[in-house]
Amino acid sequence: MTDAIPSDHPAVDSYRVELSTVGSTSRPQIVLPGDLECDVDDFVRVVVGGARAHAQVDSTLAGRPVLRGAYANKRLARTTDGENVLAEWLDDEGFQPGTTLVVDVLTDGYAYGIREPGTRVVYEPIEKPDSSLSEIADSL
């Protein structure tokens, strides 16, 4: 198990992103940088506002990867039922479309942190499960 890692650690790649909305709706979305190793329909772990959550990568009309929600578990992320901790955090912090945020890469393709620029966050380790175990879980 690795130690906690701060957002300003050299091992953490950080990308500035702009908060936007889905089309003409008021639903928030974060368009992810194109050079991340996550694809549309992938499930990733997200740390937002100190809470760990699960998110399914969606896409814009142009095919760019985007996060529109973060939920307590993978099933809720798939169905978008339950509490959307990403939307609640954005709302609680008063972030509006056009606000710049930072996406920290904790484990590319698996775990990301979202924070306000200039804010230092210490992330607890999020270990990627053994691939054979996650294949078994996905098949159930």
Side-chain angles (χ1 to χ4, degrees), residues 20-27 29 61:
S20 61
T21 57
V22 179
S24 61
T25 70
S26 61
R27 290 186 350 214
Q29 68 178 6
L61 290 175

Side-chain angles (χ1 to χ4, degrees), residues 8-26:
D8 56 358
H9 191 279
V12 176
D13 290 328
S14 299
Y15 296 87
R16 293 174 79 81
V17 296
E18 187 175 291
L19 180 63
S20 61
T21 57
V22 179
S24 61
T25 70
S26 61

Side-chain angles (χ1 to χ4, degrees), residues 44-88:
V44 296
R45 299 295 305 268
V46 178
V47 178
V48 57
R52 287 185 183 193
H54 296 256
Q56 184 170 16
V57 179
D58 207 342
S59 71
T60 63
L61 290 175
R64 301 240 353 244
V66 64
L67 295 180
R68 295 191 175 129
Y71 301 86
N73 59 49
K74 191 174 177 179
R75 181 187 58 79
L76 293 175
R78 181 182 302 110
T79 62
T80 66
D81 290 335
E83 178 184 351
N84 181 345
V85 295
L86 175 61
E88 287 189 10

Side-chain angles (χ1 to χ4, degrees), residues 15-16 22 27 39-40 42 48 76 87 90 102-103 110 135:
Y15 296 87
R16 293 174 79 81
V22 179
R27 290 186 350 214
D39 296 317
V40 174
D42 282 354
V48 57
L76 293 175
L90 294 169
V102 176
V103 173
Y110 182 70
E135 287 170 9

